[in-house]
Amino acid sequence: MLEQLLENGESEMLACFRERFRPEDLAETLVAFANGNGGSAVIGISGRVRPKVEGVQDIQAAEEAALEAALACTPPLVLPLPQQLTSNQQTVLLIEVPPGLPNVYSLHGKYLRREGPSNAPIPPNALRQLLIERGEVGWERVRPENVAMGDLSEMKIQSYVARIGPPADGDPLGWLYRRGCLTRDNQAVYQPTNAGMLLFSITTERDYPQCELTLVRYTGNEMSDEFERVDIRTTLPDQVRRAELWLGEHMRRGSRMVGLEREDWTEYPPAAVREALVNAVAHRDYTVRGEGIRIAMFVDRLEVYSPGRLPGHVTIDNIAAERFSRNETLVQVLADLGLIERLGYGIDRMQRQMADAGLPPPEFRETAAGFLVTLRNKGMNVANTSIIDTAKWEALGLNERQIGALVFLTENRRITNRDLQDLSPDVSPETIRRDLSDLVDRGLILKIGQKRATYYILR
């Protein structure tokens, strides 16, 4: 990866630094990348046209200097953690600036952009246009009124810091400040920002009534009086985890036998559903009050609605290719927690996952005040295929072998100990016997015959 990155030398998207660099020089480059389409800075490299790997001896010092450079920008840059890359037993640091950042960045009043391998001042007309396109510092960085550090959950902060490790555990509050979750007043006293409250608050429902995620499952193709509903009012990481669990439990799942192999199926690719969910949580407009995220499951489709129209220059036509993050801090912290991919929306991944599952492509639509993603299950309806819905068996707590036995029985009408042994060759005969005996005790199958003539049928 490193050799490929350095192949053509410094460019509009790449800058190289030796181990001993001035944080201000790196900060200028980070600002230039951020005001453009992003880029990569590699520490531990000499030469601009023909880069040579020298390596970094003091990794911690280089990481601290890189974080200092990001913090020196105005507003402070929120970046993914530096990556360590190795080539010829030499370690370098890779700092990536994602594309589509929501602000216009400066260093000591200088607004820069990347021109080839150099940083250059942004001309007045271009700066004016950039300011119009990106706007001012986002709502997530603003300190809300009537909140204090005591409104944040120490347990949630500690859990987050533990995941980050050394860059954060020495100074947790300083790390949250660099991430944009905290701000400081004139006396250098930390206070939570809107982002910090959405991510770590213990008072989310009180302070952010719009921070609600509603999940509904209808029994047909349209809204009706018959439905199952749950409302989730908590911090964003917990919203994602709880909603993903609910969606997984309420999606239809099934299996079919292909020869002696069991082939599993889900109504929608779980990864595509996860992309739609986390994108809604991470990129919605939280300034819109009176409305939350709504996810509706119908027999033929899944709809994910989030308040706020598409941000920046993103349109329905270019949504898979363009990048613009309305909520820079929220996206990065959710990425730190492993809940979302930092670089980009993941729309292209969602499209690939639906295509790989043989499903129609995702549908995207802007409404008067929001954004709607629709995933359709056309062509994969359990009722009109050979796929057997196994959700009810999973709900009973049956193990994979037992579910496989019931799938086999549905297609073949009878099963023997030997058949199940062939399906699970690595399992002992005694375990096979217990699995079948348990299914008999549960009233799911009937035992016919004795000894070698024994076989089982569905009850």
Side-chain angles (χ1 to χ4, degrees), residues 169-190:
D169 56 19
D171 182 14
L173 296 185
W175 177 260
L176 291 177
Y177 171 70
R178 291 193 288 272
R179 276 297 188 244
C181 299
L182 303 178
T183 185
R184 287 193 298 215
D185 59 21
N186 294 333
Q187 285 74 44
V189 176
Y190 289 116

Side-chain angles (χ1 to χ4, degrees), residues 341-414:
E341 174 63 40
R342 177 64 178 91
L343 300 176
Y345 282 113
I347 296 296
D348 50 350
R349 290 191 300 277
M350 194 190 310
Q351 292 172 327
R352 288 196 305 271
Q353 289 149 3
M354 292 293 284
D356 290 345
L359 296 174
E363 299 170 16
F364 308 106
R365 181 166 66 89
E366 279 194 292
T367 67
F371 182 63
L372 180 68
V373 178
T374 302
L375 305 180
R376 297 192 180 273
N377 60 23
K378 181 181 178 181
M380 292 295 283
N381 194 320
V382 172
N384 59 21
T385 73
S386 61
I387 294 170
I388 302 158
D389 190 352
T390 61
K392 58 184 178 182
W393 297 330
E394 293 177 17
L396 292 174
L398 300 185
N399 62 44
E400 290 294 307
R401 295 181 304 278
Q402 292 174 313
I403 292 173
L406 293 173
V407 172
F408 185 93
L409 272 168
T410 303
E411 295 192 345
N412 297 279
R413 298 190 178 182
R414 58 187 283 171

Side-chain angles (χ1 to χ4, degrees), residues 26-305:
L26 176 59
E28 286 190 357
T29 298
L30 297 180
V31 163
F33 282 151
N35 287 331
N37 296 313
S40 301
V42 187
I43 300 173
I45 305 293
S46 63
R48 302 182 64 182
V49 179
R50 295 184 178 84
K52 178 182 177 183
V53 178
E54 292 183 337
V56 176
Q57 302 304 313
D58 192 338
I59 297 293
Q60 183 176 352
E63 287 180 340
E64 290 176 354
L67 291 172
E68 179 186 338
L71 191 59
C73 305
T74 304
L77 265 170
V78 181
L79 301 177
L81 291 171
Q83 299 179 51
Q84 295 183 26
L85 304 179
T86 302
S87 177
N88 296 327
Q89 298 183 332
Q90 297 289 340
T91 299
V92 302
L93 281 184
L94 172 65
I95 295 98
E96 292 188 284
V97 179
L101 294 177
N103 305 305
V104 181
Y105 298 86
S106 66
L107 182 68
H108 307 318
K110 294 187 297 183
Y111 292 88
L112 304 167
R113 69 181 181 184
R114 199 76 173 157
E115 293 184 358
S118 303
N119 305 320
I122 303 178
N125 289 341
L127 177 59
R128 188 177 303 113
Q129 182 61 34
L130 191 62
L131 287 166
I132 291 172
E133 291 175 355
R134 297 197 180 184
E136 300 176 354
V137 175
W139 171 88
E140 62 173 358
R141 295 287 193 91
V142 174
R143 178 196 168 191
E145 297 181 0
N146 303 320
V147 300
M149 292 298 292
D151 293 317
L152 301 182
S153 166
E154 290 187 16
M155 182 177 67
K156 292 180 179 181
I157 291 175
Q158 289 171 2
S159 177
Y160 169 63
V161 168
R163 183 176 178 89
I164 295 298
D169 56 19
D171 182 14
L173 296 185
W175 177 260
L176 291 177
Y177 171 70
R178 291 193 288 272
R179 276 297 188 244
C181 299
L182 303 178
T183 185
R184 287 193 298 215
D185 59 21
N186 294 333
Q187 285 74 44
V189 176
Y190 289 116
Q191 298 292 346
T193 61
N194 281 312
M197 292 291 290
L198 288 176
L199 292 162
F200 303 108
S201 174
I202 56 177
T203 57
T204 308
E205 187 172 357
R206 181 198 73 188
D207 298 318
Y208 298 89
Q210 75 272 34
C211 183
E212 176 183 70
L213 194 153
T214 297
L215 298 145
V216 184
R217 183 185 184 186
Y218 294 99
T219 57
N221 290 341
E222 302 298 334
M223 294 182 183
S224 67
D225 293 334
E226 294 185 42
F227 61 84
E228 183 178 350
R229 168 175 173 161
V230 63
D231 297 308
I232 303 175
R233 302 181 183 93
T234 184
T235 51
L236 303 192
D238 287 343
Q239 272 193 7
V240 171
R241 296 184 183 106
R242 290 174 57 184
E244 186 175 18
L245 180 63
W246 190 93
L247 289 166
E249 291 174 344
H250 288 78
M251 272 198 298
R252 289 179 295 176
R253 295 177 299 279
S255 297
R256 61 184 169 194
M257 299 304 296
V258 180
L260 290 178
E261 296 293 326
R262 176 180 157 197
E263 185 179 275
D264 293 324
W265 163 87
T266 55
E267 188 174 3
Y268 306 97
V273 173
R274 190 172 201 262
E275 290 287 355
L277 165 65
V278 296
N279 284 337
V281 171
H283 299 294
R284 68 152 286 185
D285 186 349
Y286 285 96
T287 65
V288 176
R289 302 183 68 86
E291 190 171 31
I293 295 169
R294 301 193 303 269
I295 302 180
M297 298 185 76
F298 298 91
V299 169
D300 64 338
R301 69 192 185 279
L302 174 70
E303 294 184 348
V304 181
Y305 171 82

